[in-house]
C-alpha cells in the first residue's frame, strides 16, 4: 500500500516536471536549488525525450503493479513483489545517475529531481520486506 | 489479519490514496491551468522605488557585450517594433561590434525601451531576455528585428515567439515557461522607466560616454556619428 502512495507522489512530481518541460506551466516552482539550470541543461532530455517522461512511465508502471497487488486474487502472487522490487531497483539506479549529473556535471540541484530520487529510494526500501515475506511464505 | 481488519485497512488506504491524488495531481493541474489562463506578462508591472534614480539604475539591468574595462561605453535604447531600431540593429550594430567592441575599445550596453508596450514590444523584450536565459539573447534579438513585420501584425505573438525560439534551437519548453510568466517583466519595466527618467524622446537612442563618466546622446544612429563620438572621446 505504501508503495502505491509513494508511486502516486512520484507520479505527481514527474508529471509536473513533464508539464514544465513541455511549456505547459509557468516558471518552475523552486524554493531550493536552481531547477531551471537543471531543467535547461542538455541532460534534461534523452534522445530528445524529456527525462520526466521516463519518470512518468516508471511511476505509472510501479503504481499499476502496486494497485494490482492489492486485488484479492493477486495478494499472494509472488510476481508482483518481484516486479516492484525490480522496478524500484531500476528507478534507484536511474535516480542515482541523475543525482550524479546534478552534483558533478551540472553543478546545480533541482528540488523536484531530488524529491523524486528520495521517493524512488523509499519505494525500493518498501519493496524489500514485501519480497522477503513472499519468499518466506513459499 | 482478519477479514474485517483487512477491509478496514484497505479502506484507510483508499482514503489516503484519494487525498494524495487530489493534492498531488490537483497541484499539477492547477499549475497547468493557471498557465492556460494566460500568465504571459505583456505590459509594464507595478514596482516600488523607481523614483529613486540609483535604485532604478540597479533594477534596469541592461544586456551588455564587451569588456567592463573598455574605455568607451556605447549605450543603446531600442523598441522591437521600431523600424529604425531594426535598421540600427541589423546594419549598424554589427559594424559597431566589429570595430569597437571586439577590439576592446568599447562596451555595448543595450536597454529595452518599449514605447508601445501593449502593441507587443514589451512581450518581445521579455521574449529576448527569455532567450538570454539560454545564452541566445542576441540571436533572438536579431530574429525579432529581422522579422518585425511578420510578428508585429500577429494578434497572438506567443506561438510566433515560441516558433522563433525552436527555430534557433532553444529549449522550447523552458523558453515557453519563461515567456508565459512574469519573468523579466520587472527588468523590462525598469528599463522603460529609466529611459523615461532620462527623458529620452524615442528609439533608437544612442549614447556614447567614457567608462563610468557622463554619456552624450547622439543626434542619429549612423555608424559615422557613432564613430566620430567614439573617436572624440579617444582623442580627448
Amino acid at each position: 500500500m505504501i508503495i502505491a502512495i509513494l508511486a502516486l507522489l512520484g507520479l505527481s512530481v514527474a508529471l509536473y516536471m513533464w508539464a514544465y518541460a513541455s511549456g505547459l506551466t509557468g516558471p518552475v516552482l523552486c524554493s531550493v536549488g536552481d531547477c531551471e539550470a537543471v531543467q535547461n541543461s542538455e541532460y534534461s532530455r534523452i534522445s530528445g525525450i524529456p527525462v520526466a517522461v521516463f519518470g512518468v512511465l516508471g511511476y505509472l508502471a510501479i503504481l499499476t503493479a502496486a494497485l494490482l497487488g492489492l486485488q484479492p486474487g493477486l495478494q499472494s502472487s509472488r510476481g508482483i513483489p518481484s516486479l516492484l522490487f525490480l522496478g524500484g531497483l531500476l528507478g534507484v539506479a536511474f535516480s542515482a545517475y541523475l543525482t550524479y549529473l546534478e552534483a558533478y556535471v551540472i553543478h546545480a540541484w533541482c528540488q523536484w529531481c531530488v524529491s523524486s530520487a528520495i521517493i524512488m529510494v523509499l519505494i525500493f526500501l518498501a519493496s524489500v520486506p514485501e519480497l522477503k515475506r513472499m519468499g518466506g511464505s513459499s | 489479519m482478519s477479514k474485517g481488519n483487512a477491509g478496514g485497512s484497505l479502506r484507510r488506504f483508499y482514503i489516503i490514496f484519494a487525498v494524495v491524488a487530489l493534492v498531488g495531481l490537483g497541484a499539477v493541474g492547477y499549475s497547468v491551468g493557471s498557465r492556460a489562463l494566460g500568465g504571459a506578462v505583456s505590459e509594464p508591472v507595478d514596482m516600488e522605488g523607481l523614483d529613486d534614480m540609483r535604485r532604478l539604475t540597479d533594477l534596469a539591468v541592461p544586456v551588455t557585450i564587451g569588456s567592463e574595462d573598455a574605455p568607451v561605453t556605447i549605450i543603446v535604447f531600442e523598441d522591437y517594433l521600431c523600424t529604425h531600431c531594426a535598421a540600427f540593429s541589423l546594419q549598424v550594430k554589427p559594424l559597431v561590434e566589429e570595430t569597437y567592441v571586439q577590439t576592446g575599445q568599447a562596451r555595448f550596453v543595450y536597454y529595452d525601451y518599449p514605447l508601445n508596450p501593449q502593441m507587443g514590444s514589451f512581450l518581445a523584450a521579455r521574449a529576448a531576455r527569455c532567450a538570454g536565459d539560454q545564452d541566445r539573447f542576441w540571436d533572438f534579438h536579431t530574429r525579432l528585428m529581422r522579422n518585425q513585420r511578420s510578428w508585429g501584425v500577429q494578434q497572438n505573438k506567443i506561438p510566433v515567439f515560441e516558433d522563433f525560439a525552436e527555430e534557433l534551437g532553444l529549449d522550447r519548453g523552458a523558453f515557453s515557461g519563461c515567456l508565459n510568466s512574469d519573468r523579466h517583466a520587472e527588468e523590462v519595466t525598469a528599463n522603460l522607466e529609466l529611459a523615461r527618467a532620462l527623458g529620452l524622446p524615442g528609439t533608437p537612442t544612442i549614447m556614447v560616454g567614457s567608462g563610468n563618466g557622463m554619456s552624450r546622446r547622439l543626434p542619429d544612429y549612423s555608424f559615422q556619428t557613432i564613430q566620430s563620438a567614439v573617436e572624440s572621446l579617444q582623442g580627448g
Side-chain angles (χ1 to χ4, degrees):
Chain A
M1 290 181 192
I2 185 75
I3 293 180
I5 295 190
L6 287 168
L8 186 61
L9 272 177
L11 179 64
S12 306
V13 171
L15 275 174
Y16 178 57
M17 286 292 95
W18 187 11
Y20 171 72
S22 312
L24 295 174
T25 69
V28 64
L29 297 171
C30 196
S31 48
V32 181
D34 187 353
C35 299
E36 290 202 356
V38 177
Q39 292 297 325
N40 294 340
S41 77
E42 59 182 296
Y43 301 98
S44 67
R45 285 172 189 263
I46 297 173
S47 306
I49 302 168
V51 165
V53 172
F54 297 97
V56 169
L57 295 177
Y59 283 119
L60 262 182
I62 292 172
L63 178 62
T64 309
L67 288 176
L68 277 176
L70 293 174
Q71 304 313 305
L74 292 169
Q75 277 180 354
S76 53
S77 150
R78 289 182 62 184
I80 287 179
S82 310
L83 271 177
L84 289 174
F85 176 80
L86 268 178
L89 194 64
L90 274 174
V92 167
F94 190 51
S95 301
Y97 167 66
L98 296 177
T99 308
Y100 160 79
L101 288 178
E102 284 178 86
Y104 296 104
V105 182
I106 310 169
H107 300 292
W109 292 96
C110 161
Q111 67 183 44
W112 299 107
C113 314
V114 174
S115 307
S116 174
I118 292 170
I119 291 170
M120 201 48 99
V121 168
L122 292 176
I123 287 176
F124 173 69
L125 292 177
S127 75
V128 175
E130 198 64 14
L131 190 71
K132 278 186 181 165
R133 189 172 65 81
M134 298 316 291
S137 67
S138 65
Chain B
M1 196 189 283
S2 75
K3 228 174 184 178
N5 275 349
S9 107
L10 208 57
R11 213 173 9 256
R12 264 200 306 281
F13 161 74
Y14 281 124
I15 292 170
I16 297 172
F17 190 83
V19 170
V20 173
L22 207 66
V23 173
L25 302 179
V28 177
Y30 175 77
S31 161
V32 173
S34 49
R35 145 76 172 86
L37 289 174
V41 173
S42 55
E43 290 190 35
V45 291
D46 289 334
M47 289 173 71
E48 283 180 16
L50 296 186
D51 43 358
D52 174 357
M53 195 60 183
R54 187 171 293 176
R55 183 160 161 69
L56 180 57
T57 47
D58 282 346
L59 291 170
V61 180
V63 182
T64 63
I65 320 176
S67 164
E68 282 190 28
D69 302 325
V72 174
T73 306
I74 301 169
I75 301 170
V76 177
F77 284 82
E78 286 189 286
D79 177 323
Y80 284 104
L81 281 171
C82 132
T83 50
H84 288 285
C85 296
F88 171 78
S89 281
L90 301 174
Q91 293 157 25
V92 182
K93 178 186 162 275
L95 270 178
V96 170
E97 207 178 328
E98 190 186 327
T99 314
Y100 298 114
V101 181
Q102 285 171 7
T103 54
Q105 298 176 68
R107 183 171 186 232
F108 190 87
V109 179
Y110 171 86
Y111 287 96
D112 289 306
Y113 189 6
L115 290 165
N116 298 298
Q118 69 283 4
M119 301 298 286
S121 53
F122 190 91
L123 187 69
R126 280 191 50 244
R129 286 170 186 257
C130 285
D133 290 346
Q134 296 183 51
D135 300 324
R136 301 292 295 279
F137 175 87
W138 291 108
D139 292 332
F140 203 91
H141 175 93
T142 304
R143 176 63 67 101
L144 286 172
M145 291 299 191
R146 185 165 289 141
N147 298 284
Q148 214 172 46
R149 286 185 187 173
S150 70
W151 66 262
V153 296
Q154 298 291 327
Q155 194 67 29
N156 184 3
K157 297 174 173 57
I158 291 174
V160 185
F161 293 162
E162 289 171 342
D163 288 345
F164 285 172
E166 193 163 354
E167 286 157 18
L168 287 171
L170 299 181
D171 180 331
R172 186 181 178 121
F175 175 83
S176 178
C178 174
L179 188 61
N180 288 288
S181 74
D182 62 353
R183 197 164 164 80
H184 301 302
E186 292 200 341
E187 287 159 41
V188 178
T189 302
N191 272 225
L192 171 62
E193 289 304 322
L194 178 65
R196 284 178 177 161
L198 292 171
L200 304 185
T203 54
T205 290
I206 319 291
M207 296 160 86
V208 171
S210 59
N212 297 319
M214 290 294 285
S215 299
R216 184 165 66 88
R217 199 168 82 211
L218 305 186
D220 62 67
Y221 60 86
S222 69
F223 180 71
Q224 289 72 21
T225 306
I226 295 171
Q227 191 174 33
S228 58
V230 172
E231 282 171 6
S232 74
L233 279 173
Q234 288 172 333

